[in-house]
Amino acid sequence: MKQFYKSKSLLKLSFLFAVLFSVISVLNSCNNDDDDEEFTDHIVQFEAKIITNGPTPAPTPPVTGNFKAVVTQIGTSPSTTFNPTGTTWSSGDQFVSSSQSQLNLAANAVLPYADSELIVNIYVDGELAKTKKVVGSGEKNASTYYSFLEL
């Protein structure tokens, strides 16, 4: 009878150790979870500029370039602005999650002189992230992209 009591006690003790080991393993694995890879929000701004340059002194009336279209894309959502006025176009600040991964900007403009410039910029959190410049006259295209996945 004494041997039966010892084996029953040993069985209870081993079951207690198994349960205790399982609980410690689960708690330890939860401690090792890294939340560093969560997505963060960024402030993004798109900008396109035409710098006319040209002859000195400037002709009267002044000759400037003009935009035909500006296209932005955040993730898979494109947005097109046709014939924006002026020589500078800006999207304004937009909150974008880094889960969107890719930002695209393209501009099409007619430039008047051979040394005129079409510049497109992407700003992320107030800092210039990507820029592209095209020089020339006539119809010109400039495009750039930024990926949150780049290291």
Side-chain angles (χ1 to χ4, degrees):
M1 181 77 175
K2 201 172 190 181
Q3 187 176 5
F4 178 74
Y5 179 74
K6 282 184 181 180
S7 65
K8 192 175 180 186
S9 179
L10 187 61
L11 183 62
K12 285 182 184 179
L13 188 60
S14 61
F15 179 72
L16 179 65
F17 279 126
V19 169
L20 186 61
F21 178 75
S22 298
V23 168
I24 290 172
S25 296
V26 167
L27 291 176
N28 191 32
S29 69
C30 291
N31 275 345
N32 293 337
D33 285 348
D34 289 334
D35 293 337
D36 294 341
E37 295 189 24
E38 287 188 21
F39 299 113
T40 57
D41 286 339
H42 297 278
I43 298 173
V44 173
Q45 182 179 19
F46 299 105
E47 178 185 66
K49 296 189 287 189
I50 297 172
I51 300 175
T52 303
N53 294 326
T56 305
T60 306
V63 176
T64 62
N66 63 316
F67 289 107
K68 294 181 86 176
V70 177
V71 180
T72 62
Q73 183 174 354
I74 298 172
T76 58
S77 302
S79 173
T80 305
T81 304
F82 292 101
N83 302 316
T85 59
T87 57
T88 301
W89 175 90
S90 177
S91 67
D93 291 342
Q94 301 179 28
F95 289 96
V96 177
S97 173
S98 59
S99 66
Q100 295 298 319
S101 77
Q102 181 104 1
L103 306 171
N104 297 301
L105 170 62
N108 177 271
V110 177
L111 306 177
Y113 303 111
D115 58 347
S116 296
E117 300 172 352
L118 172 60
I119 303 169
V120 291
N121 299 315
I122 298 176
Y123 294 90
V124 176
D125 295 329
E127 295 183 17
L128 182 63
K130 288 285 188 152
T131 188
K132 176 74 180 214
K133 176 170 74 169
V134 176
V135 179
S137 64
E139 189 171 323
K140 297 292 179 186
N141 300 302
S143 63
T144 190
Y145 72 94
Y146 178 81
S147 176
F148 290 112
L149 301 178
E150 293 178 353
L151 299 175

